[in-house]
Amino acid sequence: MLTVVVAGLAACAAGILLARWGLVAVPRRLFAGYPNGELAVGAFEPGVIALTAVLTVLAAGSAAALARLSGWAVSAAGVLLTLAGLQFANVGVPDQGIVSTALVAAGLGVMCGGLLVAAGQQQLAGRLATAGGFAAGLGLASPVLLLLAPRNYDPEALGPDVYLPGIALALVVAAAVTAMTRPVPATAPTARVWGPVAATAVAAAVLYGGDAALAATVDALRLSRDGLASARRIDFVQDLARYGMLAVAVAVGLVLTGYAYRRGRADLARWTLLCLALAAPLHMGLVRGLYLPSAPYVMLLAAAAAAALGVAATAYADRWLPADALGVCLAGAGIAVSTAAYRMGPAWGYASAVLVATGTGFALAAGLARVLRTAPGTPADVAGSAVLGLATVLLAGQALGPLIVEAASSTGYGSDLPLTLPGLAGASAVALLLLFGVSRAVDRIRRDIQDEARRAVS
């Protein structure tokens, strides 16, 4: 019981750490061609986190020494590397921003990769606790930071940047120590961990290549030959930028979902498709917190309760309840409400934030718990399946960065915000329902075949 509790708390702390120093890279705006957008070093952080996470899983499945080590110990090493990067940012040496960002991103990747391997090494209760804790941590980051920040805080420099990573390190180390009571069984090296590395590398190439092509296209079309731009041209270019970023995010999601389908058929494809749908709400939840300093307790309760309900839905109602589609619908509704919040008043903003937090926490916890519970193979194989969703959230979310900031702040460049993000959520919910039906049909056919075989034997 103690191992399960500590694992859940450590996963929650890791989720907060990833949200604060990983997902926060979105406001740095990868897309330099967007109006007022500037390319920053932090824009490449999500790609580094995703690639480092899958490489960590690859090492755990390929190296015999790491395979015998608890994944929590590997995760603790990642938290230490993150702490080193955060401390290096305060040194004040030339180019420290690049080095600090690289260390933080690599540390977060190792932390997440080790956490997923640790989840694969646990029994069912530990896997469910890790899934719920990690999902809750991602949703709790904003309210926790708002509660711990000074009363007159600077939204661009939310603290505390020292003791939160320290608490996370202590909890992850505690999880590693308690895991020693259950020796990690020896497992043979597996070739199935190479697939997530290749798929993530291709998705990252699609992200950065698509972004560069979109930026060049928008820059070429922004002004007419005489150097002037009419209102119609400006509207066209802005819509091209918005829908172009959406297309890049969908392309990233399709790459990872296509590989997930080959690896685990409809069940695993549901996980990556879910993460594509949640990429914007998860990032938006952190950015949205900058504009809702008066409601952290409501957000705290919503995120924690939603994660617990998501795990319960997977454990007890997975056969008949499409929890992932339901959560995506709630999150999409929250984003849609946010488009009207700047005209309707603060209450709409609070409603939007609660819907986003509830939907993302519920769907993410349910989806991750289902993958950790049903994915076959060694702990590294299980982690390799789960890490595909993490890569989808990071890469697709970065492609949608400017749209997320635009929706979170309820400000646009026109009179109304386009429904790109709610449209993506709605389309994903429909696709998730279809995959849910396919999974249930396959299970029914499998059970019928097994029943026929038993009757033939008897």
Side-chain angles (χ1 to χ4, degrees), residues 21-328:
W21 284 278
L23 305 189
V24 80
V26 159
R28 297 173 184 174
R29 298 191 178 188
L30 172 64
F31 180 48
Y34 203 67
N36 301 322
E38 296 181 359
L39 188 64
V41 173
F44 299 98
E45 187 175 352
V48 177
I49 296 174
L51 289 171
T52 306
V54 295
L55 289 174
T56 301
V57 174
L58 172 65
S62 303
L66 282 178
R68 290 193 297 268
L69 190 65
S70 169
W72 289 118
V74 178
S75 190
V79 179
L80 276 174
L81 192 58
T82 302
L83 270 171
L86 294 174
Q87 295 302 314
F88 196 83
N90 301 321
V91 175
V93 298
D95 297 328
Q96 54 86 21
I98 297 176
V99 177
S100 173
T101 299
L103 286 174
V104 170
L108 292 173
V110 173
M111 177 194 73
C112 293
L115 182 149
L116 295 175
V117 172
Q121 294 170 339
Q122 298 174 87
Q123 301 298 319
L124 178 59
R127 293 187 181 193
L128 295 179
T130 302
F134 191 61
L138 289 173
L140 291 173
S142 292
V144 165
L145 290 170
L146 289 170
L147 287 170
L148 296 180
R151 186 176 298 272
N152 297 320
Y153 68 90
D154 178 6
E156 297 299 326
L158 280 176
D161 290 354
V162 177
Y163 52 85
L164 266 182
I167 293 172
L169 178 62
L171 288 171
V172 174
V173 169
V177 171
T178 57
M180 291 180 183
T181 59
R182 289 180 179 270
V184 178
T187 56
T190 174
R192 285 172 57 83
V193 293
W194 283 98
V197 177
T200 303
V202 172
V206 169
L207 168 65
Y208 296 118
D211 176 80
L214 182 60
T217 302
V218 169
D219 285 339
L221 296 176
R222 181 167 294 163
L223 296 177
S224 59
R225 293 182 179 179
D226 57 5
L228 301 176
S230 63
R232 181 175 297 180
R233 178 184 286 269
I234 292 173
D235 290 341
F236 169 76
V237 170
Q238 289 174 354
D239 287 340
L240 175 65
R242 290 185 177 108
Y243 289 99
M245 286 183 289
L246 183 66
V248 173
V250 171
V252 169
L254 288 178
V255 168
L256 291 164
T257 301
Y259 170 73
Y261 186 83
R262 291 182 57 191
R263 183 183 179 92
R265 297 304 175 189
D267 281 339
L268 189 55
R270 283 174 63 188
W271 167 234
T272 52
L273 186 60
L274 168 66
C275 290
L276 172 62
L278 294 183
L282 274 171
H283 289 80
M284 183 178 170
L286 185 67
V287 179
R288 187 71 179 165
L290 304 180
Y291 305 93
L292 294 172
S294 59
Y297 292 102
V298 176
M299 301 294 296
L300 195 74
L301 292 174
L309 288 174
V311 172
T314 295
Y316 300 107
D318 190 44
R319 283 192 174 185
W320 55 269
L321 178 66
D324 44 13
L326 176 60
V328 168

Side-chain angles (χ1 to χ4, degrees), residues 346-368:
W348 285 67
Y350 297 142
S352 167
V354 171
L355 283 172
V356 169
T358 303
T360 53
F362 180 77
L364 186 66
L368 182 57

